[in-house]
Amino acid sequence: MPMIASLLCGLVFGAGLLISGMVQPTKVIGFLDIFGAWDPSLAVVMMAALAVSVPGFMLAKGRSRPLLAARNFWPARDDIDRPLVVGSTLFGIGWGLVGLCPGPALENLATLSPDVFVFVAAMAAGMVLRDLWQRSRSATPREQALTSADG
């Protein structure tokens, strides 16, 4: 049942991206161009998303556990640290330059555009590199010594 619910949520999310125009890079770039030919229509999409998600989160916060899982997966931290700021900045720069973020990029793979495939490959490479960097930083000194001794 959780997999079916995940599939349905993904389909609704994808349909929302498609209907709202979030999969069109020109639409997103038009929204971000506040000093040029600004297109405010995506602000309506964002407000609609908040109108749906905020009550949902409030309802979920009031429950001891989710309907289809054994426990909640709320974020464990609420502070703002350097990795969050750097990651958010890189995300914003990428979104502003190309007009795509991960969800719409994956949905745009269906267009078979080589540019989208390059974007998704770069995004995946960035995720892998970030994960490797994070693991190297969290490894204990003994683990680091063993890793470097192995070559």
Side-chain angles (χ1 to χ4, degrees), residues 2-139:
M3 293 205 41
I4 293 171
S6 297
L7 176 64
L8 290 175
C9 290
L11 290 173
V12 169
F13 180 69
L17 292 174
L18 197 59
I19 292 168
S20 67
M22 293 280 295
V23 294
Q24 300 171 15
T26 55
K27 185 115 176 137
V28 173
I29 290 173
F31 173 72
L32 297 173
D33 187 12
I34 56 175
F35 298 114
W38 187 51
D39 177 4
S41 62
L42 288 185
V44 175
V45 172
M46 292 178 191
M47 285 188 265
L50 283 173
V52 171
S53 63
V54 167
F57 277 106
M58 291 174 65
L59 181 66
K61 284 270 189 185
R63 299 182 53 85
S64 61
R65 70 178 198 88
L67 292 173
L68 300 175
R71 66 179 186 90
N72 289 310
F73 293 93
W74 298 111
R77 296 176 49 185
D78 62 357
D79 59 325
I80 298 173
D81 59 0
R82 192 170 70 170
L84 177 64
V85 172
V86 170
S88 301
T89 302
L90 290 174
F91 177 88
I93 289 170
W95 197 40
L97 288 174
V98 183
L100 287 173
C101 60
L106 293 176
E107 196 161 333
N108 270 324
L109 285 174
T111 65
L112 303 178
S113 165
D115 292 344
V116 174
F117 279 94
V118 169
F119 179 87
V120 171
M123 180 179 71
M127 291 176 173
V128 169
L129 288 174
R130 190 262 178 216
D131 189 50
L132 291 173
W133 178 76
Q134 185 69 28
R135 286 183 190 190
S136 72
R137 290 180 50 94
S138 64

